[in-house]
Amino acid sequence: GALVRTASGPFSLEDAVSLDTLRPAASGGPGAIAELLLPMDAGLDWMPVIRLAPGEIADAAMGRYVRPAAGVTNLPAGQPIRLLDVAGRIVGVGSLDGPRIAPAKMLPEAVGRVARHGDADPAAPPDPVTVDA
């Protein structure tokens, strides 16, 4: 008759936002919904992190290999890596190729935010959330 998924990876049904909570938030606009969301990189805690400078993010967004200023040590080749901006927000995922990072997936919204705002101000507001009705 029915099947209920109680967990998927690190996400559980107990932590889910109910429709009874979501509906009133939706009437409050995108900002109210955004307050209910997990960080974009939730569930990727198992990946090592490398912080990239704005120029490095721009290079990765164009598919170029990046040699981060911070350097990469003690990671096996091919290891998936979360790529963060200097404020700690995810901008993409890559993998180690020698001393360089090969970008695999870059998040257009995050890359655009860096292009518009730079990362001099870690408190720069995030881009607005768009919700299709």
Side-chain angles (χ1 to χ4, degrees):
L3 177 65
V4 175
R5 183 178 303 265
T6 59
S8 179
F11 307 104
S12 68
L13 191 55
E14 293 84 33
D15 298 327
V17 175
S18 71
L19 287 176
D20 292 336
T21 302
L22 186 59
R23 283 187 185 108
S27 66
I33 292 174
E35 301 243 344
L36 299 173
L37 300 177
L38 293 173
M40 195 177 306
D41 57 348
L44 300 179
D45 297 338
W46 60 273
M47 286 185 186
V49 168
I50 295 289
R51 290 179 190 254
L52 300 178
E56 295 167 337
I57 294 168
D59 285 344
M62 290 189 228
R64 296 182 187 135
Y65 285 85
V66 177
R67 288 186 191 267
V72 181
T73 58
N74 300 327
L75 295 177
Q79 167 73 49
I81 301 169
R82 272 187 296 166
L83 305 176
L84 306 181
D85 63 15
V86 295
R89 298 172 295 211
I90 189 165
V91 294
V93 176
S95 63
L96 194 59
D97 182 4
R100 308 177 302 176
I101 295 173
K105 303 286 183 205
M106 298 299 290
L107 303 172
E109 299 83 14
V111 171
R113 178 184 61 239
V114 170
R116 286 189 306 278
H117 301 292
D119 278 325
D121 178 11
D127 290 337
V129 174
T130 302
V131 178
D132 295 328

